[in-house]
Amino acid sequence: MIRGRRMVRRFDPDRPVADRVVWECVAHATRAPSAGFTQGWDFVVLTDSADRSGFWSAASATVIAAEPQPSGSTSPWAPPGNPAPATATPWLAGVAAAPVLIVCCSHPDAYLDRYAEPDKGWVDRDPARWPIPYWDVDTGMAALLALLTATDRGLGGLFFGVPATRHDAVRAALEIPADRRLVGVVAIGYALPGPSSPSLRRGRRGPDRVAHSGRFGRPLTAPEPPAAPA
């Protein structure tokens, strides 16, 4: 399952995802670890076409056209030189065909409240105590479990972010409270063939390049393969 997971950017709009599978993706997401067992996440699940259209309009200020216009832009959201295009880029049109979107939100205040409780004692609720925003980290881990569940069920998935300038519009469209952060969106559906991302040319950095043994810069070596049975 893990080796088979990849980011899909083209989905079949004519193959719906079973409600049971959508539920499993969200249910498994709630099994992610979270600091203080806070579970400070929310998931807005969009399976209705009108709801998805509302999300895309808010997220991109773009009309999703049946025939996407070619684009040389480095941004998948908009063709170059046009901040509010009339038609979608190929990336946007392909992803917008996904029949399921799961908008993943984090809730920072839930963590500040949790760590103000007696067993933690951070009664000042100061965000500066946190070395990194664990509310976003935990929600990202939850999103990965949803992606892995989709892969395990024979579906394709993609995790993508909403442009920062569109967060308020998306919150308004989906009635998401202002105290929630939009960490990202999981798109799920049946994959269609499409070109591979050019980023894959960078190659995968294996354990021998990213894992360090005892000290940074000392590569972790792979174990010897097990001996063949006598």
Side-chain angles (χ1 to χ4, degrees):
M1 175 177 65
I2 292 176
R3 287 181 176 271
R5 191 213 59 77
R6 65 185 182 90
M7 292 298 193
V8 171
R9 294 167 179 82
R10 291 190 66 205
F11 295 90
D12 189 340
D14 299 321
R15 295 186 68 186
V17 176
D19 292 342
R20 173 185 55 81
V21 175
V22 177
W23 177 264
E24 288 178 346
C25 287
V26 178
H28 290 177
T30 66
R31 305 295 298 184
S34 64
F37 205 42
T38 303
Q39 306 165 78
W41 45 53
D42 291 279
F43 307 99
V44 182
V45 182
L46 308 177
T47 56
D48 181 81
S49 60
D51 291 337
R52 296 195 309 273
S53 294
F55 164 81
W56 286 115
S57 295
S60 63
T62 302
V63 176
I64 307 299
E67 293 296 331
Q69 300 300 305
S71 169
S73 172
T74 57
S75 169
W77 289 92
N82 191 349
T87 54
T89 65
W91 181 95
L92 187 53
V95 176
V100 178
L101 297 175
I102 303 174
V103 182
C104 304
C105 307
S106 68
H107 188 191
D109 284 346
Y111 285 77
L112 301 181
D113 291 343
R114 167 69 185 97
Y115 274 73
E117 293 177 11
D119 63 322
K120 301 298 183 183
W122 294 358
V123 294
D124 57 3
R125 299 181 76 258
D126 184 0
R129 288 182 176 271
W130 294 81
I132 58 173
Y134 271 92
W135 35 88
D136 293 342
V137 172
D138 294 348
T139 302
M141 289 193 283
L144 179 56
L145 291 185
L147 286 171
L148 291 175
T149 301
T151 299
D152 191 50
R153 301 300 184 267
L155 298 168
L158 173 71
F159 181 81
F160 64 92
V162 175
T165 56
R166 307 303 302 175
H167 280 208
D168 288 343
V170 169
R171 272 193 289 262
L174 303 182
E175 300 180 8
I176 297 172
D179 62 356
R180 301 310 200 270
R181 287 168 53 87
L182 300 185
V183 175
V185 184
V186 175
I188 295 173
Y190 288 91
L192 288 178
S196 298
S197 169
S199 298
L200 295 178
R201 300 191 190 109
R202 296 169 56 86
R204 188 178 301 280
R205 298 177 67 203
D208 58 323
R209 297 178 60 192
V210 302
H212 309 264
S213 179
R215 301 288 187 278
F216 197 97
R218 184 189 299 166
L220 182 70
T221 57
E224 294 293 329

